[in-house]
Structures are given as structure tokens and as C-alpha cells.
């Protein structure tokens, strides 16, 4: 099993950057696909980015394409989300998640972190 802990959220101004980290427990982290999701008040949880076990395949939601970058360091059991050119509409609770297979549906992910709040001020 995998336990996930996010960090790096906070308050940032429009146009700024944040780097989220998700630390995973266990020695099998490298076998899991990882995803970042976010949920804003009154909205459904949506895919932000996903990465397969090796990092060779990456997916980005349309709203963050070109601005966010997902990466992973399996030796450190950590997945990252670099967020640049942040906009107020990026404000949400961000969750990292782990899945056995590379997917983009939230329902396909088995393990979830507690979430970290990102607030982008205008």
C-alpha cells in the first residue's frame, strides 16, 4: 500500500509559481502511476496531471497545459507538480493520488493524500 502526503501549497499572486510535492511511503512507489487532481468549491474533482510509473508518459488537463509540469523521482518516492503562470481559477485543494495503472479518472486511483490548498490572488 501507499501513503501519500502533499506539501507546498499556499498563497501566491497571479502569475506566480508554486511547486507541490507528494511524498509516498513504501518501497514500491516506482510501480505506481501518479496523478494530481484538484477540487474547487462547487466543482467536481478534476484531473490536473498524471504520470506513468517510469515518467515516460504524461498527461495534462486542458486548463493547465503548458503551465504545469508533473515529474517524479522514484529514488526519493516523490512526485512533483511545478505550477507556473498561476491564475485565480487555479485556486483549489490539490490532491496527489496513486494508481496501479496509468489513468486519468479519479475513480481509478486507489490511494489519496490529504490535499493541500493553493490560493491564487488576483
Amino acid at each position: 500500500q501507499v501513503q501519500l502526503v502533499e506539501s507546498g501549497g499556499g498563497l501566491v499572486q497571479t502569475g506566480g509559481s508554486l511547486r507541490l510535492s507528494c511524498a509516498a511511503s513504501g518501497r514500491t512507489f516506482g510501480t505506481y502511476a501518479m496523478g494530481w487532481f484538484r477540487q474547487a468549491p462547487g466543482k467536481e474533482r478534476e484531473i490536473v496531471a498524471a504520470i506513468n510509473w517510469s515518467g515516460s508518459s504524461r498527461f495534462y488537463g486542458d486548463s493547465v497545459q503548458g503551465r504545469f509540469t508533473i515529474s517524479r523521482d522514484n529514488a526519493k518516492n516523490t512526485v512533483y507538480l511545478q505550477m507556473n503562470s498561476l491564475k485565480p481559477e487555479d485556486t483549489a485543494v490539490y490532491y496527489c493520488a496513486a494508481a496501479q495503472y496509468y489513468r486519468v479518472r479519479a475513480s481509478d486511483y486507489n490511494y489519496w493524500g490529504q490535499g493541500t490548498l493553493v490560493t491564487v490572488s488576483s
Side-chain angles (χ1 to χ4, degrees):
Q1 295 186 353
V2 177
Q3 293 181 326
L4 307 172
V5 179
E6 302 100 330
S7 62
L11 176 65
V12 65
Q13 295 182 1
T14 297
S17 298
L18 283 175
R19 182 178 173 87
L20 305 184
S21 298
C22 179
S25 66
R27 300 181 65 186
T28 60
F29 171 79
T31 69
Y32 284 84
M34 299 294 297
W36 284 98
F37 295 80
R38 68 186 184 186
Q39 187 165 23
K43 296 184 178 180
E44 295 184 356
R45 188 168 300 186
E46 65 175 344
I47 182 72
V48 175
I51 188 168
N52 74 335
W53 67 271
S54 68
S56 62
S57 297
R58 303 179 188 186
F59 172 87
Y60 297 96
D62 291 342
S63 63
V64 306
Q65 182 74 44
R67 299 188 297 120
F68 291 9
T69 302
I70 187 171
S71 62
R72 67 191 298 162
D73 186 339
N74 289 347
K76 296 183 180 295
N77 285 4
T78 302
V79 62
Y80 306 96
L81 184 69
Q82 179 67 47
M83 305 185 295
N84 298 325
S85 301
L86 284 162
K87 306 174 181 179
E89 52 262 45
D90 295 318
T91 296
V93 176
Y94 285 71
Y95 301 88
C96 66
Q100 184 176 0
Y101 303 105
Y102 181 53
R103 297 287 190 272
V104 298
R105 290 172 52 88
S107 60
D108 291 326
Y109 284 76
N110 307 104
Y111 306 102
W112 292 83
Q114 80 288 346
T116 185
L117 177 63
V118 173
T119 302
V120 184
S121 62
S122 60

